[in-house]
């Protein structure tokens, strides 16, 4: 209860000063990470929780479930079909290339780790966070094609990264019973198959029922938003009950909900978004209170170098390579490459891997915490100045092609 009281007090205080903090360039993730760190320094073990606490993992899981569902449910699929160029490059080619480059960097920097653990580390860090990049995608001074590409990429790539994470986690913890090829197929069939099935069934049923009920005037306005929240929770619960991936199920359910529900209705998903935001705030405070100190305690020069490379060379080289021939000038490729922040998905993946007892779990957690912690502050503090620089260049430089 001490942790709940102090966390609630921090949420109230930071909410009250959210506008002044935003004007100073302090993002919500930065504020909550710092709040968690301060609480840990002041109260320590009296908080009564740790990274091993089951409630911590459940809160983090649900935060990611709501994030995945809401991102997918709010995605403008029509706009994506009409203009798939840049987002398709970033998702279909950029994500796998980022994963492979991260694996190569990790294999060089962590030669004592099993290659499966190195691949797991790269899988946990290949997805970007839409929430951490919202300042860029919502800034009208950034050209529309660039904002659309970053928005679609960050909205979809964490869901696409889930299968890579699931398979690499199973291999790393040696949870697979047969030889590796058939075991991978079995893991894919169970985790991904049941996750897809649960997401499609629950998302389609929820979206169609909500649309039909609204058309007939059966819905009281106050129940529309809780209904959407219940769809996301049902997708999560169905997947867990069937042995599938709750994250993949939530992501697919969001897409299915959008397709069957019809045109974007922000009111239908607002409560789900806000609930996810509260749980994300709690997750960021736990991250600041426990993961950041653990990262500092276990930090090595290899982890520090890997964190920097993951956010710079790995991401920027991957984006630069897949955007070659797209018509985007180098300034745009660099801008797209830099603004790929690592966030909530990576934190939750790391907590799950830690909870499963992966080999070298503390090393992996520390490396992820170092990378995400650096990303929270580096991307948050650089957003305004780099957007201003890029805007000045885009006003005087060559026009952006519509992609």
């Amino acid at each position: 209860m001490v942790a709940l009281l102090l966390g609630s007090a921090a949420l109230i205080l930071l909410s009250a000063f959210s506008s002044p903090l935003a004007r100073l360039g302090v993002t919500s993730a930065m504020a909550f990470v710092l709040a968690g760190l301060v609480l840990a320094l002041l109260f320590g073990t009296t908080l009564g929780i740790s990274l091993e606490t089951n409630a911590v993992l459940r809160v983090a899981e649900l935060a990611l479930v709501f994030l995945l569902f809401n991102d997918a449910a709010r995605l403008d699929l029509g706009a994506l079909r009409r203009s798939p160029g840049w987002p398709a490059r970033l998702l279909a080619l950029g994500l796998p290339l980022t994963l492979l480059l991260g694996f190569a960097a990790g294999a060089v920097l962590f030669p004592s780790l099993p290659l499966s653990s190195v691949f797991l580390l790269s899988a946990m860090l290949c997805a970007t966070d839409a929430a951490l990049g919202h300042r860029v995608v919502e800034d009208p001074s950034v050209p529309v094609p660039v904002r659309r590409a970053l928005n679609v990429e960050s909205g979809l790539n964490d869901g696409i990264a889930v299968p890579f994470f699931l398979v690499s986690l199973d291999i790393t913890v040696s949870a697979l019973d047969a030889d590796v090829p058939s075991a991978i197929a079995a893991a894919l069939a169970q985790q991904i198959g049941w996750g897809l099935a649960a997401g499609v069934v629950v998302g389609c049923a929820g979206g169609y029922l909500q649309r039909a009920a609204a058309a007939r005037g059966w819905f009281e306005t106050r129940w529309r938003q809780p209904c959407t929240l219940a769809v996301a929770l049902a997708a999560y619960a169905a997947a867990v009950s069937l042995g599938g991936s709750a994250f993949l199920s939530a992501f697919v359910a969001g897409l299915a909900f959008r397709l069957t529900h019809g045109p974007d209705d922000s009111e239908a998903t607002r409560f789900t978004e806000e609930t996810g935001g509260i749980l994300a705030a709690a997750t960021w405070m736990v991250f600041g209170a426990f993961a950041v100190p653990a990262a500092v305690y276990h930090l090595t020069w290899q982890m520090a170098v890997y964190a920097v490379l993951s956010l710079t060379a790995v991401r920027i080289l991957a984006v630069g390579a897949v955007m070659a021939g797209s018509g985007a000038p180098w300034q745009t490729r660099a801008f797209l490459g830099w603004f790929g922040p690592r966030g909530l998905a990576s934190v939750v993946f790391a907590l799950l891997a830690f909870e499963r007892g992966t080999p070298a779990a503390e090393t992996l957690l520390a490396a992820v915490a170092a990378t995400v912690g650096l990303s929270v502050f580096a991307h948050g503090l650089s957003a305004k100045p780099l957007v201003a620089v890029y805007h000045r260049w885009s006003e005087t430089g060559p026009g952006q092609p519509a992609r």
Side-chain angles (χ1 to χ4, degrees):
M1 284 300 166
V2 174
L4 180 60
L5 173 62
L6 295 174
S8 299
L11 179 60
I12 293 169
L13 186 63
L14 292 173
S15 299
F17 290 94
S18 56
S19 184
L21 289 172
R23 287 197 294 270
L24 292 173
V26 179
T27 65
S28 60
M30 292 165 58
F32 289 119
V33 169
L34 288 173
L37 184 58
V38 170
L39 290 178
L41 291 174
L42 293 178
F43 299 97
T45 56
T46 60
L47 291 174
I49 60 173
S50 68
L51 291 178
E52 292 87 358
T53 305
N54 188 60
V56 168
L57 186 58
R58 296 290 85 78
V59 167
E61 280 185 341
L62 287 173
L64 183 55
V65 163
F66 291 139
L67 170 70
L68 290 168
F69 179 89
N70 198 66
D71 282 348
R74 298 286 295 274
L75 182 67
D76 188 348
L77 295 173
L80 179 59
R81 285 193 297 267
R82 291 189 297 271
S83 182
W86 290 4
R89 286 172 179 262
L90 293 173
L91 290 167
L93 301 175
L95 179 65
L97 185 55
T98 300
L99 177 63
L100 292 175
L101 290 176
F103 172 68
V108 172
L109 289 169
F110 304 109
S112 61
L113 285 182
L115 290 179
S116 60
S117 295
V118 176
F119 188 82
L120 175 62
L121 174 62
S122 183
M124 291 189 290
L125 289 170
C126 66
T128 61
D129 192 314
L132 295 186
H134 80 278
R135 284 189 174 179
V136 176
V137 300
E138 293 180 358
D139 195 319
S141 63
V142 178
V144 172
V146 177
R147 281 189 284 139
R148 181 189 300 123
L150 288 173
N151 191 37
V152 173
E153 181 203 16
S154 60
L156 290 177
N157 71 354
D158 41 10
I160 296 172
V162 167
F164 294 106
F165 167 71
L166 293 175
V167 174
S168 60
L169 179 62
D170 277 344
I171 294 174
T172 303
V173 299
S174 301
L176 305 173
D177 299 324
D179 58 285
V180 171
S182 60
I184 290 177
L188 286 170
Q190 180 177 356
Q191 294 272 357
I192 298 175
W194 284 119
L196 285 171
V200 169
V201 171
V202 173
C204 287
Y208 177 78
L209 179 61
Q210 189 169 132
R211 185 181 68 180
R216 290 163 175 78
W218 295 345
F219 252 129
E220 289 187 5
T221 304
R222 64 194 177 101
W223 286 107
R224 294 190 66 198
Q225 295 178 37
C227 177
T228 306
L229 179 73
V231 174
L233 284 173
Y236 166 79
V240 171
S241 301
L242 293 169
S245 166
F247 303 132
L248 187 60
S249 177
F251 178 71
V252 173
L255 292 174
F257 179 86
R258 172 60 189 264
L259 288 171
T260 53
H261 179 271
D264 181 30
D265 182 0
S266 58
E267 283 302 303
T269 56
R270 183 165 58 86
F271 185 54
T272 308
E273 181 180 14
E274 291 176 352
T275 303
I278 294 171
L279 296 178
T283 303
W284 283 122
M285 280 193 274
V286 170
F287 177 78
F290 301 102
V292 170
V296 172
Y297 180 79
H298 294 283
L299 188 67
T300 63
W301 70 265
Q302 292 95 335
M303 293 180 194
V305 171
Y306 186 84
V308 173
L309 288 177
S310 179
L311 300 178
T312 56
V314 168
R315 162 78 182 180
I316 292 173
L317 286 175
V319 171
V322 301
M323 293 296 289
S326 66
W330 72 265
Q331 293 92 338
T332 296
R333 296 198 296 270
F335 190 85
L336 289 170
W338 169 244
F339 283 109
R342 311 310 198 275
L344 186 65
S346 296
V347 172
V348 178
F349 290 164
L351 290 176
L352 285 170
F354 187 77
E355 190 259 348
R356 288 279 297 274
T358 58
E362 291 182 344
T363 298
L364 296 180
L365 179 63
V368 171
T371 306
V372 174
L374 178 61
S375 178
V376 166
F377 290 92
H379 288 106
L381 294 174
S382 66
K384 281 189 175 180
L386 289 185
V387 165
V389 170
Y390 183 70
H391 175 66
R392 286 196 295 272
W393 170 81
S394 65
E395 289 290 297
T396 59
Q400 303 294 329
R403 294 290 179 191

